[in-house]
Amino acid sequence: MAVFEFTGKSGDNNGYIYWLGTEAKSKKFENPHDGGRLRVTSSGMSVGTESGVVSRKRNEIIVSAGPDVWLCLDLGRSRIFSPTHCTMCHGSAAGGYDLNQCFTFEAHDPAAGTWVDISTRGQGPPHELKSPHGVNTFALNAGGRRFRYMRIRMTGKNGRGDNSLPICAFEFYGRLYRVEKR
């Protein structure tokens, strides 16, 4: 259906969320969560809202600390995605809240009914996201598999010593497919 190539520059306008929010780059960007074109969910917010993560604005947005901390993108029943990269923007305006090797990228495998790790840790630069509002792009390894749900999950402690997840924006790159009705 569509291919979204990462150009090597974090914050470009070539990702899936930007494309969806501009209706294939045909109009000014509007938040696709608010417009009902995708859904962002979380394990619970302490600051900001889930929809703010796809607003393309640098606001303070933090998923609450807890036993299982995650932020998830639901593409909807009619779309699946084979991701190659994810760009994230740190959600805290304060310093000392860095994310260093304490998160992973996962996608839901409907056949197995489990989440699978699509991170490439150990195969390139470390998974780091600096505060305040640092931006970084991470390579993903979906192995050609296609997913409706993709998430970022905390696996350790951030620079403040808890496992809250400060992310104010994410963008995905890869290949989009339409799900055929049966």
Side-chain angles (χ1 to χ4, degrees):
M1 183 172 161
V3 176
F4 305 94
E5 298 258 354
F6 176 61
T7 62
K9 181 177 183 257
S10 296
D12 66 16
N13 293 336
N14 295 323
Y16 170 67
I17 293 169
Y18 183 80
W19 178 85
L20 196 61
T22 60
E23 295 184 14
K25 298 185 179 183
S26 67
K27 64 179 214 166
K28 184 179 174 186
F29 180 85
E30 292 179 8
N31 186 317
H33 179 279
D34 294 345
R37 293 187 290 282
L38 60 73
R39 186 167 172 224
V40 180
T41 57
S42 74
S43 55
M45 302 299 293
S46 63
V47 179
T49 64
E50 285 95 347
S51 82
V53 176
V54 290
S55 69
R56 294 183 64 91
K57 296 179 181 164
R58 286 189 178 184
N59 294 316
E60 185 145 26
I61 300 176
I62 302 171
V63 180
S64 302
D68 188 23
V69 178
W70 51 266
L71 188 62
C72 181
L73 176 67
D74 176 358
L75 302 179
R77 289 190 300 253
S78 65
R79 295 182 294 261
I80 52 178
F81 201 79
S82 183
T84 60
H85 294 83
C86 178
T87 296
M88 298 192 317
C89 181
H90 198 289
S92 176
Y97 209 161
D98 297 351
L99 300 176
N100 295 315
Q101 302 293 341
C102 60
F103 61 93
T104 190
F105 296 96
E106 298 176 329
H108 189 262
D109 179 346
T114 60
W115 290 92
V116 295
D117 189 341
I118 58 173
S119 296
T120 58
R121 283 180 291 185
Q123 302 172 16
H127 281 157
E128 296 178 340
L129 194 60
K130 302 289 185 190
S131 59
H133 294 302
V135 177
N136 203 351
T137 299
F138 306 94
L140 303 176
N141 182 6
R145 295 172 293 177
R146 303 169 186 179
F147 306 101
R148 172 180 171 178
Y149 302 97
M150 296 175 290
R151 74 178 182 181
I152 300 151
R153 187 173 62 84
M154 289 297 287
T155 58
K157 294 183 178 183
N158 60 44
R160 289 218 174 140
D162 66 29
N163 69 338
S164 60
L165 178 58
I167 299 293
C168 70
F170 57 40
E171 179 63 87
F172 284 90
Y173 301 86
R175 186 175 295 269
L176 177 68
Y177 300 87
R178 181 175 305 283
V179 175
E180 300 298 325
K181 292 183 181 181
R182 294 178 189 204

